[in-house]
Amino acid sequence: METVFLVIGSALALVFIVVGVSALRRGAASRHWRRVPGTVNEVAIERHLKTGGADRFSARVDYKFVFEGSVRRASQGFGRTTIDRDEAVSYGRPYTAGQAVDVFVDPADPRRSTLTPGLNYGHLVTVAFGAVMLVFFLSRLAA
C-alpha cells in the first residue's frame, strides 16, 4: 500500500514540475509577443466563498484590444488570493477602467495575452516544490 502512495505522490510531483516549467516557458516567451494597444474595461475584486472558513479575495483586470482586425477581450488576475480584501484591492490599484495599456499577444495563439510579460518567479516555487516532493517520494521508494 505504501508503494502505491509513493508512486501516486511521485506522479503528483511530476505534475507540479511540468505545470511550473510550462508556465515559466510561456512567461519567458511572452517577452517576445507582439505589443498592441489595449484598454482596461474593469478592475474587479472577486470574492471566493469558502464554507467553514474565511472568504478569500483576488484582483482581476478585464481588458480589450484589437489584434489583426479582431476585437478581443481577456482577463488577468493580479497578486495572490488573500483573506484581506484591502490587500486584493492593492493588487488591482495600478489599473483603472478606461486606462490605456500595452497588451502582449501571442501571435501563434491570439487567445493568449498578458499585461505583464516576462517570468513570474512564483512559478519557480511550483517547480521547486515539485522537485522536493519528487526527491522525497523517490527516495522513499528506493529505501
Side-chain angles (χ1 to χ4, degrees):
M1 183 66 167
E2 182 181 356
T3 302
V4 171
F5 169 74
L6 294 173
V7 169
I8 291 172
S10 297
L12 182 61
L14 284 172
V15 169
F16 273 93
I17 293 169
V18 168
V19 168
V21 168
S22 175
L24 286 169
R25 291 182 66 192
R26 187 173 47 252
S30 70
R31 292 180 298 185
H32 306 289
W33 289 354
R34 287 204 6 222
R35 180 190 317 218
V36 298
T39 306
V40 172
N41 291 336
E42 177 185 23
V43 179
I45 302 304
E46 295 182 326
R47 182 178 180 189
H48 309 277
L49 301 176
K50 185 170 183 185
T51 43
D55 290 347
R56 298 190 174 277
F57 302 91
S58 62
R60 185 192 79 239
V61 176
D62 297 334
Y63 57 96
K64 67 181 176 184
F65 58 96
V66 176
F67 186 77
E68 296 180 346
S70 296
V71 176
R72 299 185 176 271
R73 298 181 190 286
S75 296
Q76 182 171 338
F78 283 89
R80 62 187 180 93
T81 301
T82 175
I83 60 171
D84 183 355
R85 187 181 191 288
D86 292 335
E87 183 180 353
V89 168
S90 73
Y91 294 139
R93 195 166 284 133
Y95 299 96
T96 56
Q99 175 184 355
V101 290
D102 287 331
V103 178
F104 297 82
V105 183
D106 181 351
D109 184 359
R111 294 173 297 177
R112 296 191 328 178
S113 64
T114 185
L115 301 177
T116 53
L119 295 175
N120 176 341
Y121 293 101
H123 294 125
L124 283 175
V125 174
T126 304
V127 174
F129 179 71
V132 168
M133 282 178 52
L134 187 61
V135 167
F136 171 78
F137 288 120
L138 291 179
S139 68
R140 298 284 304 240
L141 268 172

